[in-house]
DNA sequence: AATAAGCATTCAAATATTATAATATTATAT
DNA sequence: ATATAATATTATAATATTTGAATGCTTATT
């Protein structure tokens, strides 16, 4: 794989690495939204919303359409939603794993393995 | 969508938001690798590799298997690769868009080189 | 022209991440 | 026991991101 593609991926994921930006994108699933609309939907102040939109726009994930004094944002590539859906599936898999682990706790002490290093989703002790 | 899922997505993408970590994951596509092997493949020093592995491990993207004095890492959920492949597709779509845009310039059709899209990720003018 | 609405940008403080070097741990071999 | 190889952790300086307040820019209305 080329360096350009690797860097693209890293930059792309960096654009998604913030709860507010995830929320914005999720709110653009069905239709474009103005900044004011998003502001209300996210419960954030105007400056914050505009800043996060600016980041998503700079990274090319969303596009802006200006109408009068309003700016309407929409997702550039709908594949983005498939991406988010895939992460949801991974999240569900994660839940199942956790459930399995919890189930095994009830079966009494288990042999101690290197699993101590592979704790899921939380910081190591 | 629940807050938990939104935060999971953001944390998940944060784990992927670094070129070195992308490289690590790509190198785990076909088989597990030891830290030393990854160190050689990435051209990074031991500490750096181990730290990035630690982040991926803490976020639950990879799992560790200890064998003697070596630790072998592998991807936990193969869906991760589908995720990366989808980003590659988005990258390709992005290239096509850029090519179209260049073609519409007044100067007439221009040779499209990869450098033409190297501006991805920088701030807007 | 003056005002207001809707957004974007700028700035600085707070926080988080990264890179580098040094040190610690663990398992194996001598 | 000591040494060595492989990996992990810690400390810290450098850098980047986030947050919140303030300011500036367009566009529409009066």
């Amino acid at each position: 794989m080329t360096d350009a593609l690797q860097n693209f991926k890293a930059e792309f994921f960096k654009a998604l690495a913030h709860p507010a930006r995830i929320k914005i994108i999720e709110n653009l699933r069905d239709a474009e939204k103005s900044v004011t609309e998003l502001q209300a939907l996210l419960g954030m102040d105007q400056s914050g919303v505009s800043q996060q939109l600016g980041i998503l726009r700079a990274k090319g994930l969303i596009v802006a359409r200006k109408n009068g004094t309003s700016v309407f944002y929409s997702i550039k590539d709908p594949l983005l939603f498939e991406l988010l859906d895939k992460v949801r599936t991974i999240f569900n898999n994660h839940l199942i794993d956790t459930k399995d682990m919890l189930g095994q706790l009830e079966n009494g002490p288990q042999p101690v393995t290197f699993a101590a290093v592979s704790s899921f989703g939380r910081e190591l002790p």
Side-chain angles (χ1 to χ4, degrees), chain A:
Chain A
M1 187 176 59
T2 68
D3 258 24
L5 179 48
Q6 272 171 358
N7 289 332
F8 177 88
K9 286 179 180 171
E11 289 299 315
F12 190 85
F13 288 129
K14 205 180 290 184
L16 296 171
H18 194 290
R21 296 198 288 272
I22 295 289
K23 281 181 198 167
I24 288 174
I25 293 170
E26 293 289 357
N27 274 289
L28 296 179
R29 263 190 196 259
D30 299 328
E32 64 177 17
K33 297 273 192 318
S34 73
V35 179
T36 302
E37 287 172 324
L38 287 173
Q39 183 179 339
L41 287 166
L42 304 188
M44 291 175 59
D45 69 358
Q46 184 271 321
S47 178
V49 175
S50 191
Q51 273 184 85
Q52 301 304 338
L53 287 169
I55 292 170
L56 291 173
R57 179 162 36 78
K59 295 289 176 71
L61 276 67
I62 61 178
V63 292
R65 179 181 72 83
K66 206 169 183 181
N67 185 11
T69 172
S70 293
V71 176
F72 290 88
Y73 282 96
S74 55
I75 297 296
K76 181 163 186 187
D77 190 336
L79 268 185
L80 181 51
F81 296 124
E82 298 183 21
L83 203 80
L84 290 174
D85 291 344
K86 230 170 240 309
V87 177
R88 178 165 45 75
T89 304
I90 291 174
F91 177 71
N92 290 337
N93 291 351
H94 170 92
L95 289 183
I96 291 167
D97 286 353
T98 305
K99 190 180 163 221
D100 286 352
M101 282 172 52
L102 289 176
Q104 284 179 12
L105 286 181
E106 295 165 1
N107 299 340
Q110 299 295 309
V112 175
T113 64
F114 201 79
V117 202
S118 60
S119 71
F120 200 105
R122 65 180 167 81
E123 299 305 317
L124 290 178

